Each structure stands twice: as C-alpha cells, then as structure tokens.
Amino acid sequence: EVQLVESGGGLVQPGGSLRLSCAASGFAFSTSYMNWVRQAPGKGLEWVANIKQDGSEKYYVDSVKGRFTISRDNAKSSLYLQMNSLRAEDTAVYYCARGGTIVMVRGVVTPLFDDWGQGTLVTVSS
Amino acid sequence: EIVMTQSPATLSVSPGERATLSCRASQSVTINLAWYQQKPGQAPRLLIYGASTRATGIPARFSGSGSGTEFTLTISSLQSEDFAVYYCQQYNNWPPLTFGGGTKVEIK
C-alpha cells in the first residue's frame, strides 16, 4: 500500500523558513516522479513543484521560484520542500503527491498525481 | 499559463441522478486533462486522465469526455460517497501544471 506522510508544517512569521518532509513507503520511490501541491484554506488546488526520479530536473510555479527548493533523498525514500522568505499567501495545506502515472506529452515526460499524503498545514502569520 | 475554468461552482443533485460537470481551458490542451475528487478533510484522488481514461479502481459510473478546450465529467448515478469537490487539471503545457477552481457536488 502506498503511503505518503508529510511533516514539518506549523506557524511561521512572514519572512521565515520551514522545511517540509514527506516519508514514502509501499512503492519504488526512486523510480517515481514526486510533486508538492498546496491548498489554501477553503480554496482550490495549486501545483507547487516537482522533481524527476533522479533529482536532475526540478520545476516550480512562478510564485515560489527563488524561494522554495524541492529535493529528494532516494536512499531514505523522502521528499523535501525547503521554503524560505515565506509570505502570508503561502498559507496552505501542503500535499506530497506521487507521479505514478507518467504520460508523454509532445515528447515531455509528464507526471500525474496518483497518490497523495494527508497534508501538512503551513500558516504564515505574525 | 493555461487557465482552467470549471462550472458550475456548486451542483445540487439528488442521489441516483446524473451529474454533469464542465471544465474549460484557456487554450487547447488536446486530451491532456485529468479529473480529481476531493472529499472533506481528505486528500484528492485521481479519477480520470487522458480526458476519458479511468484511473485504477474508479467505478464505471464516472466518465470523462472532451478535447481541445471543452471537457465534461459525468457521474451517471450519484451515490452517497460521490458528494465531493471535483477538480480538473491540465498537463498539456507545463510548468505550471494548473487546476480548475473546482465544482462542489452537493446533495439536493
């Protein structure tokens, strides 16, 4: 059974930093594309970032570029999101999502969001 | 960035009835569209990808159609467990991967 367990959320002041972790089990983590997706309270879903299986490619939504860094440790089956210079608008539940289904779109490897963790809440407020 | 727009925002349906949800893309995404279901307090679940292919374990009452900029998710006979929020998501042109704002299916 696929399990994704996020941790590291909490209350942080604007301008502060947090590091989220996602512990994965029940599947071959090292061969899976991984994503972070967030959901502001009462709002919809927003993709944040993803990382290729070997960590060689990383992509971000514009609003977090230069502030957030996605990384992974395949030996520990873990995914991370380092969040710096946090803003009030970063307040959200952050989900770790496995890109199990991969589709080729015009020659580009594209992951879907097959399995999700339960999320960790990040609140940015003074 | 491709903007995804879902309608209606809320759909009131009686159990056993059909529900039809719409999703529109700001430019063509061909068939590179997925649908997700999210129940209160839970993480989303992948329902459909490739506009019409059901994900593993998804019941046949869920069906997707469309291509280009117009898409539909149909739930043929609503069960109690289907009352939830549904999101469409395009993956034709990324980054960023983008979601619609969601349609809440509620009990009439």
Side-chain angles (χ1 to χ4, degrees), chain A residues 107-124:
Chain A
V108 175
V109 173
T110 301
L112 302 181
F113 309 122
D114 294 72
D115 299 289
W116 301 61
Q118 284 305 301
T120 186
L121 176 62
V122 172
T123 303
V124 185

Side-chain angles (χ1 to χ4, degrees), chain A residues 37-73:
Chain A
V37 178
R38 67 185 178 183
Q39 186 169 35
K43 302 297 183 183
L45 301 168
E46 181 182 37
W47 170 77
V48 174
N50 63 20
I51 183 168
K52 201 175 178 182
Q53 292 87 334
D54 61 0
S56 61
E57 294 180 24
K58 305 174 185 182
Y59 299 96
Y60 301 89
V61 68
D62 281 351
S63 60
V64 309
K65 277 182 187 174
R67 301 188 298 123
F68 290 11
T69 302
I70 189 171
S71 62
R72 64 191 296 161
D73 185 335

